[in-house]
Amino acid sequence: MTDILDIESRTGAIKIHGPDGFEGMRRAGKLAAECLDMLTPHVQPGVLTDELDRLAREFILDNGGLPACLGYRGYTKTVCISPNHVVCHGIPGERTLREGDIANIDVTVIVDGWHGDTSRMYGVGEVAPRARRLVEVTYEGIARGLAAVKPGATTGDIGHAIQSYVEAQRCSVVRDFCGHGLGKVFHDAPNILHYGRPGEGAPLRAGMFFTIEPMVNLGKPQVKVLSDGWTAVTRDKSLSAQCEHSIGVTEDGFEVFTLSPASLFQPPIKST
Ligand code: MF3
Ligand code: CO
Ligand code: CO
């Protein structure tokens, strides 16, 4: 996801893509989702987060992609791994995953210049019911956001659909990071806020590509970034979960580019 304050790096204009763009995004999205599928059996108690990063990097390179995050604004890893109270941008390293952890793994690949950006939650061994519930609320939240996508709706409709559901479940939506346009550019216009009001924001049009990637906390929405300049954590140390898909707006709704080819992971996507 991208920092809300990052707007000046965008081109500003929202791009409208044609059939070639959809074809390119399908291939990039598929490789990104396959990478997350590939990691699934490796997410076990005791695994080194750096080992998961190495597996992801080699898988992407072996399959004709490039790791988009490697070297991006000084980031030195392929994936972000964000366990427990880490909201996003956790840096793989000497940290191992432990029994009972929940962790988001976020990967972005480039295939023929197109970006596929996706993340999902992994449970490590036995996971406590309240952590499982948070993950379920996050998945239902993104599903509600997706269901709002169609030409003529607005980015605010997406945010409202997510926020109203998540808050009704007594969880909170992180405000400091948002989804983003993508395509040949990694982080492009428009910002996709995961909160908002119906009818506000940019109108959606067929051919727009963007991510939806809500971060949901069990506690309060406030986050802080650690001194490494990347790792964002909940201020109140409450658990946080996230899910991300890259999508395209179609004439009658949306296409998800990052569905799991192995069906290891299917958030409940509702058709419009
Ligand atoms: N994949 C993240 C996103 O969803 C971006 C991570 S940038 C990095 O937009 F440099 F931290 F990897
Ligand atoms: Co993203
Ligand atoms: Co991402």
Side-chain angles (χ1 to χ4, degrees):
M1 73 296 329
T2 188
D3 207 298
I4 297 265
L5 301 173
D6 213 20
I7 298 166
E8 62 282 353
S9 69
R10 318 298 174 78
T11 61
I14 299 174
K15 296 179 183 72
I16 301 297
H17 301 86
D20 291 356
F22 277 83
E23 205 37 63
M25 290 298 283
R26 277 178 202 126
R27 293 200 292 138
K30 180 162 181 271
L31 181 61
E34 280 170 344
C35 180
L36 295 185
D37 286 351
M38 176 279 297
L39 290 174
T40 301
H42 297 281
V43 178
Q44 297 292 341
V47 73
L48 204 57
T49 49
D50 231 358
E51 169 68 2
L52 297 172
D53 190 75
R54 185 186 66 78
L55 288 165
R57 185 178 64 248
E58 288 178 1
F59 179 83
I60 293 164
L61 292 171
D62 286 348
N63 287 279
L66 292 170
C69 294
L70 197 57
Y72 177 80
R73 295 177 171 236
Y75 195 75
T76 59
K77 302 290 171 171
T78 294
V79 295
C80 299
I81 303 183
S82 304
N84 301 333
H85 77 296
V86 180
V87 172
C88 64
H89 299 167
I91 306 172
E94 295 310 304
R95 161 82 149 93
T96 57
L97 296 180
R98 295 182 280 267
E99 177 87 20
D101 285 349
I102 55 168
N104 177 274
I105 305 183
D106 188 341
V107 68
T108 310
V109 307
I110 307 172
V111 177
D112 287 339
W114 297 98
H115 289 75
D117 186 4
T118 184
S119 81
R120 62 179 83 149
M121 297 302 296
Y122 296 78
V124 186
E126 277 293 302
V127 170
R130 61 195 212 99
R132 287 209 300 268
R133 176 174 167 273
L134 173 65
V135 172
E136 288 310 314
V137 169
T138 306
Y139 288 173
E140 179 64 17
I142 191 174
R144 302 247 178 156
L146 284 163
V149 175
K150 59 177 180 224
T154 68
T155 57
D157 294 340
I158 299 171
H160 176 75
I162 296 168
Q163 180 184 16
S164 57
Y165 170 74
V166 165
E167 291 180 354
Q169 302 304 311
R170 285 168 288 105
C171 296
S172 67
V173 173
V174 170
R175 309 291 205 271
D176 300 53
F177 300 95
C178 58
H180 49 92
L182 85 173
K184 294 250 177 178
V185 175
F186 188 176
H187 291 120
D188 208 350
N191 280 341
I192 305 295
L193 307 188
H194 305 112
Y195 59 95
R197 281 198 267 249
E200 292 189 344
L204 305 182
R205 286 176 55 198
M208 285 172 59
F209 297 161
F210 53 82
T211 71
I212 303 180
E213 47 181 307
M215 286 136 279
V216 176
N217 299 347
L218 267 187
K220 296 198 167 74
Q222 281 76 25
V223 310
K224 66 176 178 190
V225 175
L226 301 185
S227 58
D228 60 25
W230 287 102
T231 312
V233 300
T234 53
R235 282 196 176 266
D236 64 5
K237 304 263 174 46
S238 68
L239 286 180
S240 187
Q242 185 182 19
C243 177
E244 174 174 25
H245 278 303
S246 298
I247 70 168
V249 182
T250 61
E251 296 298 339
D252 53 6
F254 60 91
E255 176 175 342
V256 180
F257 299 126
T258 44
L259 290 179
S260 162
S263 295
L264 292 182
F265 169 73
Q266 299 291 358
I269 291 169
K270 299 169 173 55
S271 59
T272 43

